[in-house]
Amino acid sequence: MNTHKRPTILIVDDERLQRDGLQRALEDRYDVLAADDVSKATGILETQPVDVLLTDLRMPGDDGLKLLRRAGSLSNPPVSIMMTAYGSIENAVEAMKAGAYHYVTKPVNLDELDLVIGRALKSRQIEAENVNLHEQLDQKFGLENLIGQSPAMLQMFDIIRQVAPTRASVLITGETGTGKELVAHAVHNLSPRKGGPFIAVHAAALPTTLLESELFGHEKGAFTGAVERRAGRFEMADGGTIFLDEVGELEPAMQVKLLRVLEERKFERVGGNKTIEVDVRLVAATNRDLKKMVAEGKFRDDLFYRLSVVTVGLPPLRERRDDVPLLVATFNRQYSEENNVPVREITQEAINLLMAYDWPGNVRELRNALEQMVVLARGDRLTVRDIPAPIRTGADLTKISVVRPGVTMTVEEAERQLIVQALKETNGNRTKAADKIGMSRRTLHRKLKQYRLEAL
Ligand SMILES: Nc1ncnc2c1ncn2[C@@H]1O[C@H](COP(=O)(O)OP(=O)(O)OP(=O)(O)O)[C@@H](O)[C@H]1O
Ligand SMILES: [Mg+2]
């Protein structure tokens, strides 16, 4: 809300006397607009910003509830106050459900109305400030949210820094949980568009017909249920970035439509013939192998080339195990703070084990594991025992080479030491030792043979 400008109020009432009376009472402090029915009021709301909507409930034609709902679906909705001659609980509840901020009965007491409007404006201002705050926070999130120092990640950061300021379409590929969405945000936030909108669309969530109107919007009456005109995501993203997630799931018909928008930067709303031009940067992501899909004829090659002007490939976590300790430390601190517990140290043994696991769910899975460990841990250190069982038993210690300060051990040597240590600590109890290391009892048995430790 502009603090220098007087707030704008729209009064909607079919009774002229009411309208004029309120207008006179309010116009010395507010810019007052008036309408005598819902359709005129809708027209005003769609064409100019209104801070407060003050509407009657019962009117010929559409009623005030309908207007409230429409107002609420605007991109910058006013706060709404409902007036009614019929002071019933049902009406009040209905009004609140439809999005009214407050409810006053007729005849309207002007002092009370004044108070309500004042409060409503205040609540709107706080909301606006909150939105701003979130936007500011979001803008800070460039690369610092992406944790990693492995060569693969450093190389990826370079690509992002280089491509972000341009307008090139970016295709982000990678398995689930590798951070594709974080990268999409970083591309936006490191671009000159960062002050503009970042609009995400999950392509797999909707069937083609709905997706089309979601992306391009629709005109009133375009199809059953299209009761009013709606702007699509491309329009909303004007001046900013649109993020098309799971782009590999797009059906052929949708692929054609998307291609046209990318080529011409123009489209029509569903059921409309007005051509709309937008200035939008496209970022897409997929966990599928799009090249293979192109080869198999499941994805249009022309669209693929349009989308992948630059490709950012996110490596799975198992191909950058060196990043695990850093991620573990970060999530440990984060979840400890979130849960108000002191940050616990993590044993080297536990870190090794986490490095040895393959993480099919990648960083997301690691993150969830750490949350679980922090929340459920009993001791003052996080040990192998605190690692969730499926991860403990799924880890294959031969996959890492253990480096200790000053000493480099072979994996076998490290594993051997781990087993000796565990048996010592459990007084030779094999079940407990296996549990402690995060191995099945059978594996332990095999390893004992392998390392000639059967006597222990
Ligand atoms: N490099 C990273 N540093 C810190 N957190 C990360 C990193 N990569 C992923 N995450 C975290 O892991 C979770 C999953 O990331 P994100 O949603 O970006 O993955 P995705 O690749 O989009 O996965 P999906 O294909 O399942 O949608 C998020 O909580 C995210 O914050
Ligand atoms: Mg994602």
Side-chain angles (χ1 to χ4, degrees):
M1 188 182 57
N2 189 334
T3 43
H4 306 296
K5 205 181 130 270
R6 301 198 320 168
T8 304
I9 293 194
L10 171 61
I11 301 167
V12 188
D13 199 317
D14 58 314
E15 283 171 58
R16 196 169 137 228
L17 277 178
Q18 270 288 336
R19 253 189 352 258
D20 291 352
L22 285 169
Q23 178 149 13
R24 268 196 305 278
L26 295 171
E27 67 193 356
D28 59 328
R29 268 159 306 142
Y30 305 102
D31 285 343
V32 182
L33 305 164
D36 62 5
D37 67 20
V38 169
S39 83
K40 284 188 198 116
T42 308
I44 292 174
L45 287 171
E46 280 176 354
T47 47
Q48 69 183 93
V50 170
D51 298 302
V52 179
L53 168 66
L54 182 60
T55 179
D56 192 15
L57 173 59
R58 303 270 162 96
M59 288 176 282
D62 290 341
D63 66 10
L65 292 175
K66 199 151 190 176
L67 181 59
L68 286 188
R69 286 193 202 99
R70 268 186 212 168
S73 68
L74 295 169
S75 60
N76 183 19
V79 275
S80 304
I81 300 166
M82 173 74 91
M83 304 179 286
T84 174
Y86 314 90
S88 73
I89 301 275
E90 290 78 30
N91 281 344
V93 171
E94 280 296 304
M96 297 299 168
K97 272 205 228 152
Y101 170 81
H102 204 85
Y103 172 92
V104 293
T105 47
K106 286 178 167 184
V108 176
N109 173 330
L110 287 177
D111 289 334
E112 187 199 341
L113 182 64
D114 213 37
L115 218 75
V116 170
I117 292 175
R119 259 192 259 135
L121 283 169
K122 185 86 198 148
S123 84
R124 188 161 193 265
Q125 193 184 339
I126 289 170
E127 231 169 76
E129 279 165 5
N130 264 332
V131 170
N132 275 336
L133 194 67
H134 281 295
E135 276 170 4
Q136 281 169 19
L137 282 177
D138 284 349
Q139 281 170 26
K140 275 181 34 196
F141 293 150
L143 291 173
E144 59 270 32
N145 256 19
L146 279 157
I147 296 156
Q149 34 173 235
S150 55
M153 288 298 273
L154 294 180
Q155 194 189 350
M156 195 199 65
F157 294 159
D158 274 345
I159 296 174
I160 296 174
R161 275 192 211 101
Q162 216 182 331
V163 69
T166 73
R167 197 189 161 161
S169 297
V170 178
L171 178 66
I172 307 164
T173 62
E175 292 178 9
T176 182
T178 47
K180 296 187 291 297
E181 191 153 349
L182 284 183
V183 170
H185 279 280
V187 168
H188 174 72
N189 290 330
L190 294 173
S191 81
R193 298 169 173 269
K194 69 175 182 209
F198 176 92
I199 305 284
V201 187
H202 296 270
L206 296 169
T208 291
T209 47
L210 282 183
L211 184 60
E212 190 182 359
S213 88
E214 184 72 22
L215 284 176
F216 308 126
H218 60 245
E219 296 293 337
K220 182 172 171 171
F223 48 83
T224 336
V227 287
E228 49 214 50
R229 195 178 80 195
R230 220 180 106 194
R233 299 295 176 117
F234 268 100
E235 261 174 274
M236 292 182 200
D238 198 14
T241 305
I242 193 162
F243 172 46
L244 257 186
D245 205 357
E246 302 174 66
V247 75
E249 315 303 318
L250 288 181
E251 287 168 25
M254 205 57 220
Q255 294 179 21
V256 180
K257 295 193 163 118
L258 184 60
L259 180 66
R260 183 180 159 224
V261 183
L262 292 186
E263 280 175 344
E264 302 173 12
R265 310 259 161 205
K266 285 179 198 166
F267 58 90
E268 288 88 36
R269 295 196 191 100
V270 177
N273 44 25
K274 196 177 117 206
T275 301
I276 299 167
E277 283 191 51
V278 285
D279 167 28
V280 169
R281 201 263 183 90
L282 184 92
V283 176
T286 182
N287 53 21
R288 305 247 242 147
D289 185 347
L290 277 195
K291 252 195 206 139
K292 192 164 148 238
M293 288 178 71
V294 169
E296 289 167 351
K298 290 178 186 148
F299 202 87
R300 292 183 69 101
D301 57 350
D302 43 8
L303 178 59
F304 173 71
Y305 293 116
R306 277 278 167 189
L307 289 176
S308 60
V309 175
V310 177
T311 302
V312 177
L314 285 175
L317 194 50
R318 65 180 171 283
E319 284 174 18
R320 49 183 180 101
R321 296 178 195 270
D322 294 353
D323 280 337
V324 168
L326 188 61
L327 287 162
V328 166
T330 310
F331 295 145
N332 179 30
R333 187 161 16 85
Q334 191 186 321
Y335 286 117
S336 302
E337 276 163 16
E338 224 169 79
N339 291 290
N340 283 317
V341 296
V343 184
R344 300 183 191 83
E345 191 193 319
I346 305 183
T347 64
Q348 185 62 44
E349 214 183 331
I351 290 176
N352 290 348
L353 204 135
L354 292 171
M355 285 174 83
Y357 182 63
D358 269 348
W359 302 108
N362 293 293
V363 184
R364 181 184 290 118
E365 189 184 5
L366 175 62
R367 182 181 193 137
N368 292 344
L370 257 293
E371 180 172 23
Q372 201 178 326
M373 287 169 69
V374 167
V375 172
L376 299 178
R378 305 200 180 171
D380 53 1
R381 293 193 312 168
L382 296 177
T383 71
V384 167
R385 298 190 64 111
D386 296 310
I387 297 173
I391 292 166
R392 227 187 312 142
T393 50
D396 179 355
L397 282 167
T398 60
K399 289 208 166 127
I400 53 161
S401 60
V402 181
V403 184
R404 293 255 164 77
V407 202
T408 309
M409 287 183 282
T410 63
V411 174
E412 279 83 1
E413 178 57 20
E415 194 173 57
R416 190 175 170 280
Q417 285 193 13
L418 209 65
I419 293 171
V420 172
Q421 184 68 23
L423 284 168
K424 230 191 257 170
E425 283 173 21
T426 58
N427 294 321
N429 183 322
R430 304 208 169 170
T431 309
K432 279 191 185 156
D435 197 37
K436 197 168 166 53
I437 305 165
M439 264 179 197
S440 69
R441 207 174 172 279
R442 244 181 53 211
T443 310
L444 178 63
H445 192 70
R446 185 161 50 77
K447 302 267 176 193
L448 288 174
K449 262 199 181 143
Q450 182 186 335
Y451 299 131
R452 309 200 169 281
L453 295 171
E454 291 118 307
L456 279 180

